[in-house]
Amino acid sequence: MVQDIVLGKFLYDLLPIAVGPFDEGKAVEGFANSAKEIFGIDKVEIRRLHGNGLNRESLDGYVINTKKAYIDNQLSEYSEFPKLIDRKHEGYSSCAIMPLIINGKAIGIIEFLSKIENRFSDEIVNSISIGAAFIGLAVGYAGEAALNKNLAKYFDSAFGTPEPHMMVNSNGIIVKANKSAIAALSLSLGSENSVENVLGCSFKELDALQDGKPIRRMLTINNEHRVFDIYSSKASQNTVYLFMDEVTERELFQGISASITSVKRVAILNLDKDFKVMGGFGNIDPMHQDFIDGIKGVKITDTLPQQESEKFLSSLNMGKNIVSKVDFSISGIKTSAYMSISKTGIGYVCIMLSAELEESVKRLANNLVDFVNATSDIVLLVDNSGIIIDTNMPAEQFLNYKKEELLGKDIRLLYSEQDILDRDIAYVKNRGKVDGSYVNMIKRNGEFLPATHSVRAFYTGSDYVYAIMIKELQTKRALDEMDTLIKKQDSQIKNFKMASELKSQFIYNISHELKTPLTNIKGFGKLLYDGEFGAVNGEQKEYIKTILDEADRLMLIITQVLDAAKLEANKVKLDLKEVNLSELYNNPSIKALEESAKTKGLSFAWNVNYDVPAITADPNRLIQVFVNLIGNSIKFTENGSITVHISKASKRSVMCEVIDTGIGISDEDKRKIFKKFYQASKKGLVKQDGSGTGLGLAITKEIIDLHRGKIKFDSHIGTGSRFWFTLPISQTQKQKSRN
Ligand code: ADP
């Protein structure tokens, strides 16, 4: 130990010789003086050998040949080398003669002389050998700056610089290491510490290293991964000098900066003492292409609102670091970020963390709240102990509680099967999801509300919160039942429709079949009546007349039934023509009606306003409508008048009115007269007197519908009735066919 310190001091004293501009004379003098002083040596002499004038038999020759130090600790008159006898005469008692070796070649001799016997112990010889080696190196490479530097490093290391330094011999054994190396690598010097074992490099590898080019090695020291760059330079033929530069932090820093840059939400800026951005890495907003380049040279405090900037400055003045959320704008892009500025040796470091993520989480949360409020299901928010902390509107509606009553309530009280709730909560706590468990909720009045619930757990950062979504099943069941009912009714309607169509078809066919024999009955009846088959007496004629009347009536019924059936079965196609409504009056059917009205003592009028245009309609069907309406009026009027009035109702339609002063229609009958076979006077039965079938108005309505018109009436018992219908002036293509 003492030896180490002494050697250290010795080498330290030699340091200026190594690092200063090299002067051989001075170097030797310095070395001699240090050796004298430190080891108590009285004289040091250095001789350079030149040429071949060396006497092999002499002491110098011996030292050069053996390349070993020659020690004589008791000089005497009888020494084998005459030179040493001379030294004895000069008053010295012990000596050490060493070769000065450079690159394996002895280039000189160093002679140490002491007036004391036994001065050159092993330790001292060892120490001065190193010094001699050093001087040898210094001399050999005099002027070579690189060597000087390496030597400086070497000696530096002897005095505990923080970087590890080592010397390694050609066997790969670490022969010397400074304190840092010993501490960092937990070394104990000795043969077991080969450089191969410790650093994973062979001597050869290190020897071959070019100056300035390191080997990078990761070493695990005390379970810590540390990265070193190992620089090597040749100290002598058989020794390399190693300098280890720890780059762990630099590596870490590069990793951090790469990952921060790829995150694109974090930036670290290097600011000078005026807060100007000198550089940095990362990105605060992916919108920025080159965030760091864009912000370089910007005074960061200028980008902040004044208040924020002052807040930062004052807290920095007080030596505090604050993190503040700030909105600022860089190259025209607005950004919101958390910012922290702290002081460093060369200025400040500013860390920015984008607040965008937080904003989007907030937006998401708002959307969730929106959703909870908008859903028609019950949503209950429950804390870790089962207390309700929030609810939505449907919760109040379906459970019949007020929100205030639900808040703070234990949710178990709302469940009839608490074990299901406990089970489901436990399940979601273990990161499961519960969907559609059947439960019975208890309403405020104690009634059960059958439902299914879904449960989710949310971690709020400090505790769990549970969201329970409850779908009540009562409404759903009612809706389902209604749905089934509607479906059933739909199919019934379909059946009815089919039956009704079948019926129309049947009537249509049968009426047709009846018409032919009836025509024969009528024909032969008429021939009988007219006496074509022989004379008939008065009584017989009366009976035949009855047969003919009944046949007429039957024919009317059949014709109308056939017509109604045809209309109902959509078999009627309108034969559209231009119709002049004034001219209809001259139609023989209308004329015949006028005649019969007059016979009955009723006045008859057909009035058409001057502005009524010709219309497009099926003239025969139109006459049928008028015959039905006018016929009814005559039938149900005993005194007064029958008036037909035709006017223009609008730009596109005309209106036809048939007005009588007859018996009128009761309120009860008003609802039914358009129904088939309905006759007011007989309460639904076809009259026996041959005057009607109860089909006229039904057929009339169908015909007007076919024309896309409308029929209505008003009537008062005892005063008369007014039937009126509108017809479009022209029939468009679409209106012609009824769908
Ligand atoms: P009908 O062939 O029996 O006349 P309608 O369908 O034409 O059949 O008329 C049905 C019923 O409406 C008639 O039986 C009658 O009771 C009533 N009715 C129709 N027109 C009039 C009217 N102008 N005045 C009074 N009642 C009427």
Side-chain angles (χ1 to χ4, degrees):
M1 196 58 202
V2 173
Q3 170 70 24
D4 270 353
I5 295 168
V6 173
L7 174 65
K9 168 88 174 87
F10 173 55
L11 294 174
Y12 180 70
D13 283 351
L14 296 182
L15 195 61
I17 303 168
V19 293
F22 190 79
D23 175 326
E24 190 177 322
K26 261 198 186 152
V28 173
E29 195 188 312
F31 173 62
N33 286 340
S34 292
K36 275 189 210 161
E37 217 174 89
I38 291 167
F39 300 111
I41 294 162
D42 297 310
K43 188 176 169 138
V44 179
E45 210 181 272
I46 297 175
R47 296 186 292 275
R48 289 291 294 266
L49 303 172
H50 298 290
N52 294 325
L54 190 67
N55 180 1
R56 304 253 158 213
E57 305 302 307
S58 69
L59 177 60
D60 286 357
Y62 173 82
V63 169
I64 295 296
N65 278 340
T66 56
K67 285 187 191 159
K68 274 184 186 162
Y70 179 88
I71 314 292
D72 189 340
N73 269 320
Q74 284 168 342
L75 291 175
S76 73
E77 305 278 339
Y78 311 105
S79 179
E80 57 180 304
F81 294 110
K83 185 165 215 167
L84 294 183
I85 300 168
D86 290 348
R87 294 297 187 219
K88 175 78 191 167
H89 288 160
E90 283 165 29
Y92 299 107
S93 297
S94 56
C95 78
I97 321 282
M98 295 179 187
L100 194 57
I101 297 169
I102 296 165
N103 277 346
K105 214 175 140 194
I107 55 142
I109 297 284
I110 311 177
E111 198 176 317
F112 299 89
L113 294 158
S114 174
K115 292 186 171 157
I116 303 165
E117 281 191 354
N118 298 321
R119 176 77 257 179
F120 297 98
S121 64
D122 284 351
E123 285 91 37
I124 288 175
V125 172
N126 200 19
S127 296
I128 51 180
S129 298
I130 293 172
F134 160 61
I135 289 300
L137 285 169
V139 172
Y141 292 96
E144 282 180 34
L147 180 78
N148 279 349
K149 198 169 129 219
N150 288 331
L151 285 169
K153 274 184 188 161
Y154 173 57
F155 287 109
D156 225 358
S157 73
F159 292 91
T161 55
E163 295 88 18
H165 298 252
M166 286 174 245
M167 292 286 267
V168 178
N169 71 14
S170 56
N171 293 328
I173 302 298
I174 299 169
V175 288
K176 194 130 201 85
N178 74 342
K179 280 184 190 147
S180 302
I182 291 167
L185 304 171
S186 327
L187 287 178
S188 61
L189 289 182
S191 58
E192 75 276 16
N193 273 321
S194 75
V195 72
E196 187 88 58
N197 289 343
V198 175
L199 302 181
C201 323
S202 67
F203 177 82
K204 257 194 184 163
E205 235 179 308
L206 294 169
D207 194 37
L209 271 186
Q210 299 263 316
D211 223 13
K213 268 200 186 157
I215 301 177
R216 180 160 292 190
R217 283 284 185 278
M218 196 193 73
L219 306 175
T220 308
I221 302 159
N222 296 331
N223 289 328
E224 231 181 88
H225 298 304
R226 293 167 67 179
V227 184
F228 293 92
D229 277 345
I230 303 164
Y231 294 86
S232 151
S233 59
K234 217 174 186 142
S236 75
Q237 193 67 32
N238 300 317
T239 326
V240 289
Y241 154 72
L242 301 186
F243 164 68
M244 290 170 67
D245 186 14
E246 177 154 14
V247 293
T248 315
E249 284 183 4
R250 216 181 304 154
E251 280 290 290
L252 260 177
F253 182 76
Q254 274 172 7
I256 291 169
S257 78
S259 60
I260 282 179
T261 304
S262 68
V263 166
K264 295 207 170 28
R265 294 285 175 201
V266 183
I268 297 181
L269 305 175
N270 177 12
L271 313 179
D272 71 4
K273 57 187 186 340
D274 299 320
F275 297 97
K276 225 188 250 164
V277 178
M278 307 303 289
F281 53 89
N283 196 341
I284 192 73
D285 187 333
M287 293 267 283
H288 287 289
Q289 292 293 318
D290 297 300
F291 177 72
I292 298 296
D293 284 348
I295 202 170
K296 246 183 213 163
V298 173
K299 201 171 157 181
I300 201 81
T301 43
D302 286 351
T303 64
L304 304 178
Q306 200 186 341
Q307 214 184 342
E308 287 298 330
S309 150
E310 279 166 8
K311 213 159 91 185
F312 272 111
L313 293 180
S314 73
S315 70
L316 281 169
N317 276 341
M318 290 190 295
K320 277 199 299 190
N321 284 345
I322 55 159
V323 179
S324 184
K325 191 176 168 189
V326 290
D327 293 317
F328 58 98
S329 141
I330 292 166
S331 343
I333 299 177
K334 280 197 176 154
T335 310
S336 178
Y338 285 98
M339 190 186 266
S340 143
I341 302 178
S342 29
K343 206 167 162 52
T344 68
I346 49 165
Y348 299 91
V349 162
C350 168
I351 299 180
M352 289 177 174
L353 177 67
S354 169
E356 168 95 348
L357 215 60
E358 186 193 54
E359 293 293 324
S360 63
V361 168
K362 250 191 212 155
R363 272 201 301 277
L364 199 69
N366 282 341
N367 287 344
L368 198 69
V369 169
D370 237 29
F371 170 74
V372 165
N373 288 333
T375 178
S376 58
D377 296 331
I378 301 167
V379 180
L380 300 171
L381 221 57
V382 172
D383 74 7
N384 206 10
S385 51
I387 299 299
I388 299 173
I389 51 177
D390 204 1
T391 67
N392 65 352
M393 277 282 282
E396 297 182 73
Q397 285 165 4
F398 288 116
L399 299 171
N400 295 127
Y401 278 101
K402 283 198 181 117
K403 187 167 182 162
E404 308 86 77
E405 293 173 313
L406 287 170
L407 298 183
K409 202 176 171 74
D410 187 340
I411 190 164
R412 287 181 194 85
L413 300 177
L414 296 177
Y415 276 78
S416 111
E417 300 93 352
Q418 295 179 1
D419 49 330
I420 297 183
L421 177 71
D422 289 340
R423 178 200 68 193
D424 289 352
I425 293 256
Y427 189 65
V428 293
K429 217 176 205 170
N430 286 325
R431 295 167 185 243
K433 282 180 187 176
V434 169
D435 278 312
S437 283
Y438 281 93
V439 290
N440 277 300
M441 306 303 295
I442 305 173
K443 292 206 240 179
R444 195 170 195 271
N445 60 7
E447 270 177 28
F448 282 169
L449 179 74
T452 59
H453 79 187
S454 301
V455 189
R456 295 286 186 280
F458 296 95
Y459 192 63
T460 60
S462 57
D463 215 343
Y464 277 100
V465 166
Y466 303 94
I468 304 182
M469 196 176 241
I470 301 160
K471 253 188 216 306
E472 58 90 26
L473 297 175
Q474 250 165 19
T475 314
K476 191 182 173 309
R477 278 180 193 160
L479 283 175
D480 284 352
E481 274 166 22
M482 212 173 326
D483 200 43
T484 336
L485 201 71
I486 287 170
K487 273 188 189 144
K488 216 163 132 188
Q489 278 174 354
D490 263 3
S491 80
Q492 265 175 2
I493 287 168
K494 251 190 211 155
N495 289 343
F496 282 144
K497 241 180 140 179
M498 246 163 72
S500 155
E501 270 165 24
L502 269 174
K503 185 196 76 189
S504 305
Q505 191 64 40
F506 172 72
I507 292 172
Y508 178 76
N509 292 343
I510 203 97
S511 311
H512 227 13
E513 294 302 315
L514 288 172
K515 254 179 140 180
T516 324
L518 196 57
T519 312
N520 287 339
I521 292 171
K522 267 179 74 174
F524 287 110
K526 189 81 176 49
L527 289 175
L528 265 180
Y529 185 83
D530 289 345
E532 296 287 332
F533 305 117
V536 282
N537 64 29
E539 201 181 1
Q540 284 171 331
K541 216 169 178 176
E542 211 174 298
Y543 290 140
I544 297 170
K545 174 85 169 65
T546 307
I547 291 173
L548 286 175
D549 283 352
E550 286 302 306
D552 274 346
R553 202 178 109 65
L554 199 56
M555 193 56 133
L556 177 74
I557 292 172
I558 289 168
T559 314
Q560 290 212 329
V561 164
L562 189 63
D563 209 20
K566 249 164 97 180
L567 281 162
E568 196 170 295
N570 287 331
K571 291 227 162 116
V572 172
K573 285 242 154 59
L574 293 179
D575 183 14
L576 293 173
K577 291 198 170 107
E578 201 179 83
V579 179
N580 185 331
L581 291 162
S582 317
E583 281 172 11
L584 275 192
Y585 172 61
N586 298 319
N587 182 279
S589 305
I590 306 291
K591 281 282 171 207
L593 283 169
E594 182 177 21
E595 207 52 49
S596 70
K598 282 185 176 158
T599 315
K600 210 174 169 184
L602 304 169
S603 68
F604 184 89
W606 182 278
N607 299 326
V608 180
N609 281 7
Y610 71 95
D611 61 345
V612 173
I615 65 165
T616 311
D618 182 332
N620 291 328
R621 288 292 178 182
L622 210 50
I623 286 180
Q624 200 182 346
V625 167
F626 277 114
V627 167
N628 279 340
L629 293 178
I630 297 168
N632 279 349
S633 284
I634 296 169
K635 234 190 291 180
F636 299 107
T637 306
E638 295 307 320
N639 301 302
S641 59
I642 313 291
T643 312
V644 176
H645 182 219
I646 301 173
S647 59
K648 196 170 169 186
S650 73
K651 264 189 193 166
R652 292 201 184 88
S653 63
V654 295
M655 179 164 79
C656 308
E657 297 163 274
V658 178
I659 307 156
D660 66 48
T661 54
I663 60 167
I665 304 165
S666 74
D667 284 345
E668 195 201 337
D669 293 334
K670 274 177 187 166
R671 275 178 276 130
K672 302 175 185 165
I673 56 166
F674 283 105
K675 290 211 164 106
K676 288 191 186 100
F677 302 108
Y678 186 82
Q679 292 181 314
S681 51
K682 284 280 174 184
K683 295 264 181 269
L685 289 172
V686 177
K687 275 185 189 166
Q688 301 298 309
D689 61 0
S691 60
T693 59
L695 284 167
L697 283 178
I699 291 170
T700 300
K701 188 173 179 316
E702 291 274 0
I703 294 170
I704 289 165
D705 283 351
L706 263 180
H707 280 88
R708 303 258 162 195
K710 284 214 158 64
I711 181 163
K712 287 188 176 155
F713 70 95
D714 52 30
S715 180
H716 296 283
I717 290 279
T719 20
S721 310
R722 182 174 76 107
F723 283 80
W724 78 92
F725 59 91
T726 56
L727 289 172
I729 291 167
S730 64
Q731 296 285 338
T732 64
Q733 199 60 34
K734 208 176 159 194
Q735 283 168 323
K736 269 184 216 165
S737 65
R738 202 167 60 154
N739 28 358

